[in-house]
Amino acid sequence: IPLLAGLSIAHGFLPPHPSPVALVSAIHADMGTTLLYGIVVAIPTLIIAGPVFALSLRHVQAQPAAMFQDGRALQDEELPGVFNSFATALLPVLLLGATTVLMMARPDLNGSLSFLANPLVVMLVSYLVAIWTLGLAQGRRFSAVMQGPAEAMREIAPILLIIAGAGALKQVLVESGVSADLGALLSSLPVPPLVLGWSVATVIRICLGSATVAGVTAGGIVAPLVHSSGVDPNLMVLAIGAGSLMCSHVNDSGFWMFKEYFGLSLKDTFRSWTLMETLVGVFGLLFVMLLSLFLQ
C-alpha cells in the first residue's frame, strides 16, 4: 500500500509523468514550479494514504500471482548499488527541480535553462544515464540492455493511445467553444476554483475510470476558469491531479491489476485499493488548499 500510494501520487501530481505534463501544457502552468509544489503536497499525502492507512488493514487474505513467487532471486553482485539505483530513478526529478531553482535565482539564464528544463530533454538525459549506470556499467551487453526498452514500449503503447485520445477530446472541447462556456458557467458558482477543478476531474474519473483521461479532459474544461479567476495554475494542476485519482472502482484497469496481482477478493480490493486512492485524492486536495493559503 505505501508503494502503490507513492506511485499513484506520482501519477497524479508529479511531472514528468505524462498526466501532469499534459495538464501543465493545457493550463499553461510552469513545469518546475508544479513539481516543487507537488513534492510539498505529495509528502504528507503519502504518509497518510500509505503507511498510516496500511496500519488499518487487518485480515486481508492476499494470494500473490505466481509471477511474483517464481523465478531465480538475483545475487547482490548482480544488482546495482543502492545509491546508483536511487540516483538514477530520481534523476528526472532532480534535474527539473535544479533547473527551476536556478531559473528562480538567475532569471537572466531562463533562455538557456528552459531547454534543459523541457521534460522531453530531462527524460532523454535520464534515459541515457540509466542505460549506462544500470546496464552497461554493470557489465551487461548493449543488446541485452535494449530488450528492456523494447518490452516497455509494448506496455506503454496503450497508455500513449489513451493520452492521445484524451488530448483529442480536450481539443474538441476547446475548439468547439464548449470549454469556454463551461468555464464561464463554473466561474459563476460560489465554490473555490481549486475545488471546482478537483470536482470536475472526480466526476470524470468515476464515470470513465482512467485517471489520465480524467485529468487531461478536466484540464481542457477548467482552463478558461483558471484565466478568469486568477487562481495559481500550478495549484490547479495539482487539484485536478488529486481529483483524477478519486474512487477507483471496477471501470479502472488499475483496480483489476491490483486485485489480480495480489489475489484479493472484490471486498478486500475496495477496502484497500479503492480507499487508498480516495485518501490520496481527498488529502491531496486538502494540502493543495493549505498550500494556497501560504502562497497568497
Side-chain angles (χ1 to χ4, degrees), residues 226-271:
V226 175
H227 304 303
S228 63
S229 66
V231 68
D232 189 326
N234 304 293
L235 294 179
M236 182 61 80
V237 170
L238 300 178
I240 293 175
S244 71
L245 299 173
M246 286 288 292
C247 303
S248 171
H249 60 98
V250 295
N251 63 358
D252 178 19
S253 59
F255 177 93
W256 295 106
M257 290 172 62
F258 181 86
K259 177 185 181 301
E260 296 303 322
Y261 282 162
F262 292 100
L264 300 177
S265 65
L266 277 173
K267 176 184 176 181
D268 285 338
T269 307
F270 276 115
R271 65 184 283 241

Side-chain angles (χ1 to χ4, degrees), residues 9-271:
I9 289 170
H11 179 89
F13 296 161
L14 304 179
H17 193 280
S19 182
V21 167
L23 278 172
V24 166
S25 176
I27 300 180
H28 305 292
D30 179 76
M31 191 74 66
T33 305
T34 300
L35 174 63
L36 294 179
Y37 289 174
I39 292 175
V40 172
V41 171
I43 292 174
T45 303
L46 174 59
I47 293 173
I48 294 172
V52 173
F53 170 61
L55 294 175
S56 69
L57 295 176
R58 296 287 186 269
H59 311 297
V60 175
Q61 300 298 319
Q63 297 177 340
M67 62 182 294
F68 296 119
Q69 302 179 39
D70 299 334
R72 180 181 65 87
L74 297 177
Q75 301 299 317
D76 289 344
E77 57 270 16
E78 298 179 89
L79 299 171
V82 174
F83 175 81
N84 185 5
S85 301
F86 278 95
T88 304
L90 294 175
L91 185 58
V93 176
L94 295 176
L95 288 176
L96 274 177
T99 52
T100 300
V101 171
L102 283 175
M103 286 191 291
M104 290 179 176
R106 294 286 304 276
D108 56 305
L109 298 178
N110 283 6
S112 56
L113 289 176
S114 60
F115 173 77
L116 296 176
N118 186 292
L120 295 178
V121 175
V122 167
M123 292 305 296
L124 177 60
V125 171
S126 302
Y127 172 61
L128 295 176
V129 170
I131 289 177
W132 173 256
T133 58
L134 300 180
L136 301 179
Q138 304 298 316
R140 300 175 62 192
R141 293 183 301 164
F142 185 75
S143 58
V145 173
M146 288 296 97
Q147 289 179 0
E151 295 174 358
M153 282 301 298
R154 287 197 295 268
E155 297 296 328
I156 200 175
I159 298 175
L160 295 178
L161 291 175
I162 289 173
I163 295 173
L169 175 60
K170 181 267 296 182
Q171 199 61 31
V172 168
L173 295 173
V174 172
E175 297 297 334
S176 65
V178 173
S179 178
D181 292 340
L182 286 173
L185 176 63
L186 292 174
S187 63
S188 64
L189 297 176
V191 179
L194 294 175
V195 177
L196 277 175
W198 178 86
S199 301
V200 171
T202 297
V203 171
I204 298 174
R205 161 71 156 174
I206 294 173
C207 294
L208 300 182
S210 170
T212 301
V213 172
V216 176
T217 306
I221 294 173
V222 175
L225 174 63
V226 175
H227 304 303
S228 63
S229 66
V231 68
D232 189 326
N234 304 293
L235 294 179
M236 182 61 80
V237 170
L238 300 178
I240 293 175
S244 71
L245 299 173
M246 286 288 292
C247 303
S248 171
H249 60 98
V250 295
N251 63 358
D252 178 19
S253 59
F255 177 93
W256 295 106
M257 290 172 62
F258 181 86
K259 177 185 181 301
E260 296 303 322
Y261 282 162
F262 292 100
L264 300 177
S265 65
L266 277 173
K267 176 184 176 181
D268 285 338
T269 307
F270 276 115
R271 65 184 283 241

Side-chain angles (χ1 to χ4, degrees), residues 194 231-232 235 286-296:
L194 294 175
V231 68
D232 189 326
L235 294 179
L286 175 62
F287 290 119
V288 168
M289 298 295 289
L290 290 176
L291 179 60
S292 70
L293 296 178
F294 288 99
L295 296 175
Q296 289 181 351

